Amino acid sequence: MLNVYGSHFRLLERTLDAQSLRQAVIANNIANADTPKFKRSQVLFEELLRQSLSGTSSHVVGLRTDPRHIYIGKSGLDFKPKIVVDRYSVMNNNENNVDIDAEMALMAKNQLRYNTLI
């Protein structure tokens, strides 16, 4: 039987939330493709998840020998996706850095991931 409150379900839920946020950020980038001096944003999630699961993040976690035990320190899922703005690159003469073709490809990739997770 699937435990809908277990850590796997929470991980799936966090991943879906990150994909939804990424879709909104990409849509915002596309909507502002012709806006002068607009700087594109991106969502960091997979990198944070990888760091959290590999133990390379900077927090200490207690050992849980039973799923009913209380977390000591931060759990591996106590992070949120981060929105990062690329302020330094320039793509167009108007100092905008949105590449519409790249953003459309990212949107299609994100939509496929989201549909797969659903």
Side-chain angles (χ1 to χ4, degrees):
M1 183 172 159
L2 177 64
N3 180 2
V4 296
Y5 299 107
S7 62
H8 290 94
F9 187 76
R10 285 194 308 273
L11 178 60
L12 181 61
E13 182 181 30
R14 294 282 173 107
T15 306
L16 283 169
D17 290 343
Q19 299 304 321
S20 295
L21 178 62
R22 182 173 284 131
Q23 192 77 2
V25 168
I26 293 170
N28 185 52
N29 290 343
I30 291 170
N32 288 291
D34 293 325
T35 304
K37 298 185 181 185
F38 177 81
K39 300 300 182 183
R40 72 177 295 277
S41 299
Q42 65 182 9
V43 174
L44 296 180
F45 176 74
E46 288 80 5
E47 298 86 356
L48 297 174
L49 177 63
R50 194 173 300 112
Q51 287 176 359
S52 177
L53 294 177
S54 69
T56 59
S57 57
S58 62
H59 61 272
V60 176
V61 179
L63 176 65
R64 293 178 57 221
T65 57
D66 189 292
R68 296 173 293 180
H69 289 169
I70 297 174
Y71 282 106
I72 298 173
K74 293 184 177 182
S75 74
L77 301 175
D78 282 345
F79 67 92
K80 293 182 180 181
K82 291 183 182 180
I83 299 175
V84 179
V85 179
D86 178 8
R87 298 191 185 279
Y88 301 107
S89 66
V90 175
M91 178 68 67
N92 302 319
N93 289 335
N94 63 1
E95 298 181 26
N96 184 316
N97 65 353
V98 177
D99 179 0
I100 192 71
D101 294 327
E103 295 296 328
M104 293 300 287
L106 287 172
M107 182 173 271
K109 180 180 176 181
N110 189 62
Q111 186 174 4
L112 286 172
R113 282 184 179 172
Y114 183 85
N115 290 340
T116 301
L117 291 167
I118 290 295

